[in-house]
Amino acid sequence: MQKRALVVGLGIAGMSAAIGLRQAGWTPVIVERAPERRKGGYFVGLMPEGRQAAVDLGIAGYLHTRNPPDGGKAWSLTRRGNREPGVGFLHQPGDPAAVVRGDIEAALWRSTCGDTTGEPIDVRFATAPVEIDDTGGDVRVLFEDAGTGAQHRENFDLVVGADGLRSRVRRMVFGPHEDYMTKWDAMICVFQLQEQVPSFAETDSIISARAGRAVWVFGFADRPPTVLLTYRTEDTRRQFTGSAIQRLRTVFSEMDDPAVRHALAALEKTPEFLFDSVHQVKMPRWSNGRVALLGDAAWCPNLYSGMGATAALRGGAELGRALLESPDDLDAALTGWESRLRPFIRKHQRIARLKQQMFVPSSRPVEALRSVVLRLACTARERRLAKARARTSA
Ligand SMILES: Cc1cc2nc3c(=O)[nH]c(=O)nc-3n(C[C@H](O)[C@H](O)[C@H](O)COP(=O)(O)OP(=O)(O)OC[C@H]3O[C@@H](n4cnc5c(N)ncnc54)[C@H](O)[C@@H]3O)c2cc1C
C-alpha cells in the first residue's frame, strides 16, 4: 500500500515536498490554512541550486523568469541623492533568475494540480492541523476547518511541516518559537510598486543604502518593480505597535532621495504590503520521529541570504530522493536527507550576516567600505561586459 504523507503549507516548500514525495511513490495530502492559493509576491532571485531543483522536480519548463537584458541597470544613490552606476542583486555570481515568489508557486502548482505529469495532489484549503500525535507507528492529526470550525482526525505515515517562519507544526512538535527563531534586530517592508521611480527606466534597479536603513527597488523585464524598505533596530517588538506606515516615515525621514520619496508615497496607496521582523531559524534537527520540517519552518536563512526559495525547492527535491533511496526505512531517509542538505543551509545561514551588510550597512564606516567594494565590483563588471561585447562584434 502507498504511504501517505501530510504536508502542511502550500508555499514553495510545501509544494516542492509534495512533488518530491509523489516522485518517491508516496501519496501526499497538502493542507493550507488560507481559503485559496495566493499569487504575486515580492522579488526573488533564484540561484543555480534552486534552478537545478526545479529541473529535478520537473517544473523548470513552467517557470516564468523576468530578467532584464544583461541583468538590467542598477543605480546606487549617493547621500546627496545623485545616481551612479551600481551593482544590483542580479549581478552577483550565479546569475540569479529574477522572479516573484508567485512565479515559482505557479510553476509548482501546475505540477501539484496534475496539469503536467503525475497524479493531481489532494489539496485542502482553509484547513490546519491543531493536534499532532506521533504514536511511533503513525501520526494522528486533528484538523480544523478555518471556516466552520469543524474538526476531524486522520492518520499519516509522515507529516511535513512546511508552514513558514512561524510554523505551527514546529511549535506543536518541537517547542516554542523563541527556541529556534534567532534575533536579527532588523525589519523589512516589501510591496509591489504600481510605477517605477520617476526618471528611471522601467527595468532599472535602484539602491539607496545608509547606515541602518536602505531602500531597494528591484526592476523586472516585464512588470513594475517591487520595493524593499529595510532598517535595523534593537527593539523589533515595538515596531509592531501603531501604524507601520507612520513608523517607516519616521525611520526614513532623514533619507530624502527620489527612491525613498517614491517608495513612501507608494506605500500609502498600496493595497497590500508585508511588514515583518527578520529572523533565522536554527534547529539542531529537522525531524523528530515521523514529523519533519522543511523550508522556512526548518531553516529560514532570511531574505538577506537570498536563498530561502532556492533552499525550499532543493529541500523538497532532496526529500523525494532520500525517500526513494531508503523506501523501507523512514529514519534512514530523514537522516540521509538532513546530512546531505545541512552543509548547504549552514553555509548560507552564515553568509547571510555578510550579505546583510550589503543590504543595509550597520554603521557609517561600513557604509563607506560597502560603497568602495561595490564601486570596484561595478568597474570589474563593466570591463567584463565590454570585453564580452567586443568578442561578439569581432
Ligand atoms: C522580502 C523577501 C525577499 C526574499 N528574497 C528571496 C530571494 O531573493 N531568493 C530566495 O531564494 N528567497 C528569497 N526569499 C525567501 C523565500 O521567499 C522564502 O524562503 C520562501 O518563499 C519560503 O517558502 P516556505 O514555503 O518555506 O514558507 P511560506 O512562503 O511562508 O509558506 C508557508 C505556507 O504555509 C501556510 N501555513 C502557515 N501556517 C499554516 C498552518 N498552521 N496550517 C496550514 N497552512 C499554514 C501559509 O499560508 C503559506 O501558504 C525572500 C523572502 C522575503 C520575505
Side-chain angles (χ1 to χ4, degrees):
M1 216 176 71
Q2 274 201 332
K3 296 190 190 95
R4 288 176 83 227
L6 170 69
V7 177
V8 183
L10 188 73
I12 298 174
M15 283 189 273
S16 302
I19 296 167
L21 281 154
R22 187 179 59 190
Q23 286 175 337
W26 285 59
T27 304
V29 173
I30 305 180
V31 292
E32 165 57 51
R33 76 172 165 196
E36 58 188 27
R37 198 170 78 73
R38 64 183 177 191
K39 302 202 173 114
Y42 39 78
F43 169 94
V44 168
L46 200 57
M47 302 306 282
E49 298 89 341
R51 299 201 291 272
Q52 181 56 50
V55 172
D56 298 343
L57 292 168
I59 61 139
Y62 311 107
L63 185 62
H64 179 69
T65 57
R66 304 172 185 273
N67 293 59
D70 278 345
K73 273 214 170 72
W75 299 100
S76 198
L77 300 186
T78 65
R79 276 189 170 255
R80 293 193 170 164
N82 298 327
R83 66 175 86 173
E84 48 184 49
V87 180
F89 190 93
L90 295 176
H91 303 148
Q92 62 179 302
D95 296 326
V99 295
V100 289
R101 189 196 57 214
D103 293 327
I104 306 177
E105 292 183 348
L108 288 162
W109 177 249
R110 286 196 62 180
S111 175
T112 301
C113 70
D115 209 9
T116 58
T117 51
E119 285 291 301
I121 292 169
D122 181 0
V123 179
R124 303 173 192 171
F125 288 98
T127 308
V130 288
E131 268 175 40
I132 297 176
D133 178 18
D134 183 352
T135 65
D138 62 5
V139 198
R140 296 187 184 158
V141 183
L142 178 65
F143 292 106
E144 190 168 277
D145 182 301
T148 63
Q151 296 191 335
H152 78 280
R153 266 181 219 283
E154 268 180 69
N155 296 359
F156 296 89
D157 298 289
L158 169 68
V159 170
V160 180
D163 48 346
L165 177 64
R166 293 179 180 84
S167 163
R168 192 154 174 197
V169 175
R170 190 182 65 225
R171 190 154 56 78
M172 283 192 278
V173 178
F174 295 82
H177 293 329
E178 305 79 67
D179 289 358
Y180 305 112
M181 286 170 63
T182 60
K183 263 167 66 72
W184 274 57
D185 293 340
M187 301 293 296
I188 54 159
C189 176
V190 262
F191 57 97
Q192 172 74 59
L193 286 177
Q194 296 307 315
E195 284 163 19
Q196 175 62 286
V197 180
S199 87
F200 286 86
E202 202 54 35
T203 56
D204 283 355
S205 290
I206 308 153
I207 302 142
S208 183
R210 305 282 162 267
R213 62 215 67 198
V215 176
W216 285 65
V217 174
F218 298 99
F220 293 104
D222 58 359
R223 59 177 283 162
T226 68
V227 67
L228 162 73
L229 294 155
T230 179
Y231 63 96
R232 294 177 184 253
T233 168
E234 278 173 20
D235 191 354
T236 49
R237 244 167 228 254
R238 209 164 74 87
Q239 309 307 306
F240 293 103
T241 55
S243 147
I245 298 181
Q246 194 44 51
R247 191 161 286 282
L248 286 156
R249 280 212 168 275
T250 309
V251 169
F252 284 87
S253 58
E254 284 163 29
M255 281 176 74
D256 185 28
D257 67 42
V260 173
R261 278 199 300 274
H262 185 73
L264 290 176
L267 181 60
E268 304 272 0
K269 294 190 214 125
T270 188
E272 211 184 326
F273 62 87
L274 167 71
F275 179 69
D276 204 356
S277 46
V278 179
H279 305 271
Q280 256 184 5
V281 172
K282 289 202 166 162
M283 303 192 71
R285 206 173 150 155
W286 298 326
S287 64
N288 182 0
R290 290 180 175 270
V291 181
L293 298 174
L294 202 148
D296 281 4
W299 56 65
C300 175
N302 80 35
L303 83 151
Y304 300 130
S305 81
M307 291 304 287
T310 289
L313 282 163
R314 184 160 174 209
E318 294 279 8
L319 179 65
R321 190 168 304 144
L323 289 167
L324 205 54
E325 283 168 9
S326 305
D328 302 316
D329 189 342
L330 183 62
D331 199 38
L334 293 177
T335 306
W337 167 69
E338 178 157 344
S339 55
R340 207 177 287 165
L341 207 56
R342 200 171 264 283
F344 173 74
I345 300 293
R346 194 183 298 126
K347 175 176 140 193
H348 288 290
Q349 285 194 327
R350 280 195 188 133
I351 301 174
R353 281 281 179 200
L354 189 64
K355 287 190 174 174
Q356 183 186 22
Q357 294 289 6
M358 289 295 162
F359 268 98
V360 52
S362 54
S363 63
R364 282 292 284 263
V366 178
E367 179 190 324
L369 181 65
R370 175 188 176 280
S371 296
V372 174
V373 171
L374 289 179
R375 241 178 240 138
L376 291 172
C378 187
T379 313
R381 180 170 181 273
E382 276 168 2
R383 276 205 199 115
R384 257 197 328 275
L385 284 177
K387 265 192 197 159
R389 273 194 291 270
R391 265 201 308 274
T392 347
S393 59

